PDB file of all heavy atoms in Angstrom:
ATOM      1  N   ALA A 201      -5.204   1.981  26.926  1.00  0.00           N
ATOM      2  CA  ALA A 201      -4.489   1.874  28.200  1.00  0.00           C
ATOM      3  C   ALA A 201      -3.539   3.058  28.267  1.00  0.00           C
ATOM      4  O   ALA A 201      -2.945   3.435  27.261  1.00  0.00           O
ATOM      5  CB  ALA A 201      -3.710   0.567  28.253  1.00  0.00           C
ATOM      6  N   ALA A 202      -3.412   3.656  29.446  1.00  0.00           N
ATOM      7  CA  ALA A 202      -2.571   4.845  29.553  1.00  0.00           C
ATOM      8  C   ALA A 202      -1.867   4.884  30.899  1.00  0.00           C
ATOM      9  O   ALA A 202      -2.322   4.284  31.877  1.00  0.00           O
ATOM     10  CB  ALA A 202      -3.431   6.105  29.381  1.00  0.00           C
ATOM     11  N   GLY A 203      -0.770   5.609  30.919  1.00  0.00           N
ATOM     12  CA  GLY A 203      -0.056   5.843  32.166  1.00  0.00           C
ATOM     13  C   GLY A 203      -0.561   7.138  32.790  1.00  0.00           C
ATOM     14  O   GLY A 203      -0.805   8.118  32.083  1.00  0.00           O
ATOM     15  N   PHE A 283       8.643   3.459  26.610  1.00  0.00           N
ATOM     16  CA  PHE A 283       7.912   4.287  27.565  1.00  0.00           C
ATOM     17  C   PHE A 283       8.697   5.590  27.760  1.00  0.00           C
ATOM     18  O   PHE A 283       9.812   5.736  27.270  1.00  0.00           O
ATOM     19  CB  PHE A 283       7.755   3.536  28.900  1.00  0.00           C
ATOM     20  CG  PHE A 283       6.758   2.392  28.834  1.00  0.00           C
ATOM     21  CD1 PHE A 283       7.178   1.065  28.963  1.00  0.00           C
ATOM     22  CD2 PHE A 283       5.404   2.623  28.646  1.00  0.00           C
ATOM     23  CE1 PHE A 283       6.267   0.014  28.900  1.00  0.00           C
ATOM     24  CE2 PHE A 283       4.487   1.582  28.581  1.00  0.00           C
ATOM     25  CZ  PHE A 283       4.922   0.270  28.711  1.00  0.00           C
ATOM     26  N   GLU A 284       8.127   6.524  28.499  1.00  0.00           N
ATOM     27  CA  GLU A 284       8.711   7.859  28.630  1.00  0.00           C
ATOM     28  C   GLU A 284       9.855   7.860  29.645  1.00  0.00           C
ATOM     29  O   GLU A 284       9.827   7.121  30.629  1.00  0.00           O
ATOM     30  CB  GLU A 284       7.638   8.857  29.097  1.00  0.00           C
ATOM     31  CG  GLU A 284       6.434   8.944  28.194  1.00  0.00           C
ATOM     32  CD  GLU A 284       5.549   7.710  28.260  1.00  0.00           C
ATOM     33  OE1 GLU A 284       5.356   7.163  29.362  1.00  0.00           O
ATOM     34  OE2 GLU A 284       5.068   7.279  27.185  1.00  0.00           O
ATOM     35  N   GLY A 301      -0.191   7.953  26.469  1.00  0.00           N
ATOM     36  CA  GLY A 301      -0.319   6.664  25.806  1.00  0.00           C
ATOM     37  C   GLY A 301       0.185   6.727  24.381  1.00  0.00           C
ATOM     38  O   GLY A 301       0.708   7.758  23.941  1.00  0.00           O
ATOM     39  N   MET A 302       0.029   5.605  23.684  1.00  0.00           N
ATOM     40  CA  MET A 302       0.635   5.451  22.358  1.00  0.00           C
ATOM     41  C   MET A 302      -0.403   5.278  21.248  1.00  0.00           C
ATOM     42  O   MET A 302      -0.107   4.689  20.203  1.00  0.00           O
ATOM     43  CB  MET A 302       1.587   4.247  22.373  1.00  0.00           C
ATOM     44  CG  MET A 302       2.643   4.317  23.466  1.00  0.00           C
ATOM     45  SD  MET A 302       3.641   2.828  23.498  1.00  0.00           S
ATOM     46  CE  MET A 302       4.543   3.050  25.045  1.00  0.00           C
ATOM     47  N   SER A 325      -3.393   2.198  33.558  1.00  0.00           N
ATOM     48  CA  SER A 325      -2.789   0.897  33.846  1.00  0.00           C
ATOM     49  C   SER A 325      -1.562   1.002  34.735  1.00  0.00           C
ATOM     50  O   SER A 325      -1.130   0.016  35.315  1.00  0.00           O
ATOM     51  CB  SER A 325      -2.416   0.200  32.542  1.00  0.00           C
ATOM     52  OG  SER A 325      -1.553   1.021  31.806  1.00  0.00           O
ATOM     53  N   ASN A 326      -0.996   2.165  34.824  1.00  0.00           N
ATOM     54  CA  ASN A 326       0.224   2.331  35.626  1.00  0.00           C
ATOM     55  C   ASN A 326       0.398   3.808  35.936  1.00  0.00           C
ATOM     56  O   ASN A 326      -0.173   4.662  35.261  1.00  0.00           O
ATOM     57  CB  ASN A 326       1.441   1.813  34.844  1.00  0.00           C
ATOM     58  CG  ASN A 326       1.588   2.509  33.501  1.00  0.00           C
ATOM     59  OD1 ASN A 326       0.825   2.243  32.572  1.00  0.00           O
ATOM     60  ND2 ASN A 326       2.530   3.406  33.416  1.00  0.00           N
TER      61      ASN A 326
HETATM   62  N1  HPA B 639       3.167   5.347  28.766  1.00  0.00           N
HETATM   63  C1  HPA B 639       2.780   5.248  27.489  1.00  0.00           C
HETATM   64  N2  HPA B 639       1.838   4.418  27.076  1.00  0.00           N
HETATM   65  C2  HPA B 639       1.239   3.650  28.005  1.00  0.00           C
HETATM   66  C3  HPA B 639       1.591   3.706  29.349  1.00  0.00           C
HETATM   67  C4  HPA B 639       2.620   4.608  29.762  1.00  0.00           C
HETATM   68  O1  HPA B 639       2.992   4.709  30.943  1.00  0.00           O
HETATM   69  N3  HPA B 639       0.818   2.811  30.000  1.00  0.00           N
HETATM   70  C5  HPA B 639       0.005   2.258  29.060  1.00  0.00           C
HETATM   71  N4  HPA B 639       0.259   2.759  27.842  1.00  0.00           N
END
Side-chain angles (χ1 to χ4, degrees):
F283 288 113
E284 303 71 39
M302 305 176 191
S325 57
N326 57 286

